[in-house]
Amino acid sequence: MKTLICDCNKTMPLDPQALSRALPPDASDGLQTLHSTLCRREAGAFQRAAKSGDDLVVACTQESRLFVELNAQTEGAPGLQERPIRFVNIRETGGWSKDAKTATPKIAALIAAAQLPDPDPVPTVSYRSGGRVLIIGAGDAVHRAAAMLGDKLEVSVLLTQAGGAVAQERAYPVHAGTVKAISGWLGRFEVAWESGNPIDLDLCTRCNACIRACPEDAIDFSYQVDLAKCRSHRDCVRVCEAAGAIDFARAPQQVSESVDLVLDLQATPFLSLHQPPQGYFRPGADERRQFDAMLQLRELTGEFEKPKFFHYKPKLCAHSRNETVGCNACIEVCSARAIRSDAHGSGGVIVEPQLCVGCGACSTVCPSGAMVFATPTAAHQGQRIRTLLHTYQRAGGVGVSGGAALLLHSQGAGTRWLNELGRAASIDAATHGVPARVLPVDLWHTASVGLDLWLAAFAYGASQLWLLLTDEEAPEYRDALAEQAAVANALMQGLGYDGERVRLLSVRDARDLAELDAALQAPPAPTVAQAAGFAVQADKRATLDLALDHLLAQAPQPAPLIALPAGSPFGNVLVDADKCTLCLACVGACPASALADNPERPQLRFIEKNCVQCGLCERTCPEQAIRLEPRLWLADGGRARKQPRVLNEVEPYRCIRCGKPFGTLKAIEAMMGKLAGHSMFQGAAADRLKMCGDCRVIDIHTNRDEVKITDIR
């Protein structure tokens, strides 16, 4: 592995020898040489490294495109398919901060993480677009857009109100109406509208006779009647008699059209989702945004692919059982509305991969691990976080700058704002920049990492964990992350790790940079005495257990019982023994095997470690005898929550014929009470309710003269 570092024209105080010592020998090749103009005069050094064929890391993201081009132009250098080049930003994220001289452990950690193998490839989702675009809106803007797109795409227009001028030449289909529904995605949109205007644009010849005839000027070159102005003279109807395009008695028509793309120019777009479907553009009235949207639309013909961001495990899903709905977390958090319930079908949820935008919030809020973010996997992210923290610690970062704080941010807006902060620090004495103990972690989306990886990070030795939120985050994501942060902070504080360990930071515009700069300078908090070495697991609950076990083992003053906020994935089930009949409906509903029966005795047993607090047991219980208690129970060093315990136990009811136990006293008494007045359950038939299944059959065949009960439930 060769790593090339550059101090960017001597603007960063890099120490190549210290960096080389901080990394294993097989990962430090090239670090002994410090370049100053690797992208200019010293470009030959890059080309020599590229020709070596070794895996290559370049500590510069600004000139990544230039280095890729240089690699392609270098004779003997492997192509990117054979040997990808990895890039890491050490300049804006640390080299330009005010404490850059003490940032060697941090820079070593960033380089070590960049040297990790790429994540495994994931399946892809395909789109196919034939270039059919529907432009929705009113006025001349719709027709201008049609003119700009008509040479490249198959255009049709839906006018949502009168106004503007339709061209005399019928160059593309023009419809009129009110949008009722838009569904689908790139290549597969279905748009439905209601056409209620008296003028049928298909029949209209655009002869302009109606415009001349209308005394109220209620008709213009959009060839639609402004019904607010119309006074029912019907002169327009008379002059259009031959064409028959105007009919005030015509019933509203329901119309739908299949298109590949939608350009919605309405002042209030029909779809207000934070993450609209791919292929749906809603620039509003802003002409610059309209122009940008049309540039993108012109390129959306052909076949396209994106990663399949998620993996769904139906067997673990706590959404529904037997048409009873419990957990709705993934459905409620999805800003793209890509997830819907299948409670009345096969159960669980349905995810439309074409609508999924890869935010990963569903996996973050999923308590059971049924929804998994796969781009990259939790195991890959865990390896990256562990590498960052362990390298920082080995390089002496804790002694120099204090415990490391992880700063999770998106690869898009989050990276841009950190670059802005680093750039400001390079020229502004009042701006500190990203401190030496703050390790940035760029993610596809900030919401894609949740409680399992947060707690794992603390077990690996993180001091704090901060999430940088920008305008990319939908309100649903912010709320979900705030709830998850509340759970994490309650857990950490209950274990004795004081302070706010997880914090949300927000940047929406440049005015927030000063606040961010100040927030990043918060002092470190104590970390675990010994960093964990476990690997993050594919199963979310397994990772949570490993992290909690390590944090508990290292905890300064753990409480035996930690109360947690609602929405926690840990907790207890409380059973009202006076109401519970031990029907065990809750056992069948539990997706996590937290509730179980005892084949030997009428018991309801519970393993608290398994409970995900989905609420299915509470909603399924016919006696309303169950409620949830979010908590983390740490009695007996946390071992008690892993052992089964009895929530309710009753005496068995014994068959009145053979004495064999076959139910519970309370359940049989309740049944007898409900059926006491029923004509089918009197006399000997009532006695059969008190018999086990075998004796009931024997009794029926022994007393053939009686009315046989063939369906006892």
Side-chain angles (χ1 to χ4, degrees):
M1 174 74 71
K2 286 188 181 296
T3 302
L4 303 180
I5 57 172
C6 177
D7 63 14
C8 198
N9 197 27
K10 303 186 184 303
T11 58
M12 291 186 285
L14 299 182
D15 186 342
Q17 282 69 40
L19 286 172
S20 183
R21 290 192 298 270
L23 294 168
D26 60 346
S28 59
D29 187 14
L31 278 172
Q32 298 83 358
T33 303
L34 177 62
H35 303 280
S36 289
T37 55
L38 187 63
C39 61
R40 295 295 183 269
R41 293 182 179 179
E42 296 175 274
F46 168 81
Q47 292 182 297
R48 287 190 293 274
K51 288 174 67 175
S52 72
D54 294 336
D55 288 347
L56 190 58
V57 173
V58 179
C60 174
T61 53
Q62 175 180 291
E63 301 294 344
S64 58
R65 180 176 177 179
L66 171 64
F67 289 122
V68 168
E69 291 175 353
L70 274 175
N71 184 78
Q73 296 168 9
T74 301
E75 186 176 352
L80 296 183
Q81 296 296 325
E82 305 169 57
R83 190 270 336 260
I85 302 172
R86 302 183 183 94
F87 299 94
V88 57
N89 182 358
I90 64 172
R91 188 179 71 177
E92 285 85 355
T93 58
W96 277 355
S97 71
K98 293 299 185 289
D99 51 5
K101 290 182 178 179
T102 60
T104 295
K106 170 193 185 160
I107 293 173
L110 294 175
I111 290 173
Q115 293 176 341
L116 291 173
D118 292 333
D120 293 333
V122 297
T124 57
V125 177
S126 299
Y127 300 89
R128 178 176 293 178
S129 168
R132 298 166 301 163
V133 59
L134 177 66
I135 306 172
I136 304 173
D140 294 331
V142 172
H143 301 295
R144 283 198 303 270
M148 292 183 66
L149 296 174
D151 66 318
K152 190 90 171 182
L153 304 174
E154 183 183 331
V155 172
S156 57
V157 163
L158 174 60
L159 298 175
T160 53
Q161 65 185 60
V166 176
Q168 289 293 115
E169 178 188 2
R170 198 180 290 272
Y172 46 83
V174 179
H175 312 283
T178 303
V179 180
K180 294 299 180 182
I182 299 178
S183 60
W185 48 80
L186 173 64
R188 271 190 56 184
F189 281 106
E190 192 72 24
V191 183
W193 66 87
E194 183 178 89
S195 178
N197 201 273
I199 299 182
D200 186 330
L201 288 174
D202 282 338
L203 297 176
C204 176
T205 62
R206 304 180 189 177
C207 66
N208 303 328
C210 59
I211 299 176
R212 292 192 301 272
C214 182
E216 291 95 10
D217 293 328
I219 306 175
D220 59 14
F221 287 117
S222 66
Y223 303 110
Q224 294 288 277
V225 179
D226 186 340
L227 296 175
K229 293 181 179 180
C230 179
R231 296 294 178 267
S232 303
H233 292 88
R234 302 299 186 261
D235 294 347
C236 57
V237 178
R238 288 190 291 274
V239 299
C240 191
E241 184 177 2
I246 306 178
D247 182 358
F248 282 84
R250 183 189 297 113
Q253 303 295 306
Q254 307 301 319
V255 186
S256 65
E257 184 169 320
S258 298
V259 295
D260 299 308
L261 305 158
V262 177
L263 175 58
D264 191 344
L265 298 179
Q266 297 178 98
T268 302
F270 184 80
L271 295 181
S272 58
L273 301 175
H274 187 271
Q275 299 283 355
Q278 287 87 343
Y280 176 84
F281 294 82
R282 50 179 190 190
D286 186 283
E287 291 189 4
R288 173 70 178 271
R289 293 179 61 194
Q290 289 181 6
F291 184 74
D292 290 343
M294 285 185 277
L295 287 179
Q296 294 179 62
L297 280 162
R298 290 175 62 86
E299 303 304 318
L300 289 179
T301 300
E303 295 189 9
F304 306 91
E305 287 186 343
K306 71 173 183 182
K308 185 181 178 184
F309 295 102
F310 67 93
H311 177 55
Y312 175 55
K313 303 175 183 176
K315 290 184 179 179
L316 297 180
C317 184
H319 170 63
S320 63
R321 286 288 190 280
N322 301 323
E323 299 191 355
T324 298
V325 174
C327 173
N328 268 327
C330 63
I331 296 173
E332 292 170 354
V333 81
C334 182
S335 69
R337 300 298 179 264
I339 307 175
R340 66 181 188 274
S341 174
D342 192 31
H344 300 294
S346 59
V349 299
I350 296 172
V351 189
E352 291 288 1
Q354 283 83 0
L355 291 177
C356 175
V357 295
C359 67
C362 56
S363 64
T364 294
V365 300
C366 178
S368 66
M371 200 68 73
V372 179
F373 188 68
T375 320
T377 63
H380 179 87
Q381 294 287 29
Q383 182 187 21
R384 187 177 172 208
I385 290 171
R386 184 177 60 177
T387 299
L388 280 167
L389 291 167
H390 286 188
T391 304
Y392 176 84
Q393 293 154 11
R394 285 197 305 268
V398 177
V400 174
S401 305
L406 291 183
L407 178 61
L408 308 185
H409 65 88
S410 68
Q411 294 173 357
T415 295
R416 290 195 299 272
W417 285 120
L418 284 185
N419 287 345
E420 287 297 318
L421 182 62
R423 182 183 296 182
S426 71
I427 61 170
D428 181 10
T431 302
H432 186 279
V434 185
R437 77 178 193 92
V438 176
L439 306 180
V441 181
D442 64 312
L443 306 169
W444 178 268
H445 201 289
T446 314
S448 65
V449 170
L451 193 63
D452 52 338
L453 283 166
W454 297 354
L455 295 181
F458 291 127
Y460 293 150
S463 172
Q464 291 119 325
L465 191 143
W466 298 325
L467 292 92
L468 179 58
L469 307 182
T470 68
D471 55 4
E472 290 179 332
E473 277 72 39
E476 296 95 328
Y477 305 161
R478 290 173 174 265
D479 293 344
L481 289 172
E483 291 173 5
Q484 294 280 304
V487 173
N489 284 323
L491 285 169
M492 293 297 288
Q493 289 163 13
L495 289 167
Y497 301 96
D498 294 334
E500 186 183 29
R501 296 299 178 126
V502 179
R503 186 179 176 192
L504 309 186
L505 309 176
S506 183
V507 176
R508 294 186 184 272
D509 55 45
R511 292 171 295 183
D512 296 328
L513 273 181
E515 261 183 58
L516 175 64
D517 191 44
L520 295 182
Q521 296 177 61
T527 63
V528 292
Q530 181 178 353
F534 66 82
V536 167
Q537 304 296 297
D539 180 74
K540 181 176 186 175
R541 300 293 294 192
T543 299
L544 285 169
D545 288 338
L546 288 170
L548 285 171
D549 286 347
H550 186 82
L551 290 169
L552 177 60
Q554 302 283 311
Q557 292 181 321
L561 183 67
I562 303 173
L564 297 176
S568 162
F570 308 106
N572 187 26
V573 168
L574 301 173
V575 175
D576 186 335
D578 292 332
K579 293 181 179 179
C580 177
T581 63
L582 227 61
C583 68
L584 302 180
C586 54
V587 174
C590 181
S593 300
L595 292 167
D597 64 348
N598 184 345
E600 305 299 326
R601 295 184 58 80
Q603 285 182 342
L604 175 62
R605 299 195 294 180
F606 178 61
I607 301 176
E608 187 158 333
K609 179 185 79 73
N610 293 350
C611 181
V612 299
Q613 296 283 287
C614 65
L616 273 169
C617 58
E618 185 179 30
R619 292 175 176 84
T620 299
C621 179
E623 312 301 338
Q624 298 182 339
I626 294 178
R627 63 186 177 89
L628 305 180
E629 180 190 20
R631 71 178 194 179
L632 184 66
W633 187 38
L634 298 176
D636 193 23
R639 289 181 289 276
R641 63 187 291 268
K642 301 178 182 180
Q643 302 301 318
R645 57 188 170 89
V646 177
L647 295 181
N648 191 22
E649 181 176 11
V650 297
E651 284 298 315
Y653 188 87
R654 297 185 180 277
C655 174
I656 60 173
R657 184 177 178 126
C658 70
K660 184 176 73 174
F662 72 96
T664 67
L665 180 64
K666 186 176 291 187
I668 300 300
E669 287 179 345
M671 180 175 63
M672 295 295 295
K674 291 177 180 178
L675 298 176
H678 199 290
S679 60
M680 293 290 291
F681 298 97
Q682 303 299 318
D687 287 341
R688 292 190 188 106
L689 296 177
K690 304 173 187 177
M691 299 178 189
C692 66
D694 293 339
C695 290
R696 191 178 304 139
V697 172
I698 293 170
D699 189 71
I700 289 173
H701 285 277
T702 302
N703 302 284
R704 291 180 179 276
D705 293 336
E706 297 182 13
V707 177
K708 296 180 180 179
I709 301 173
T710 59
D711 186 17
I712 299 176
R713 291 185 175 87

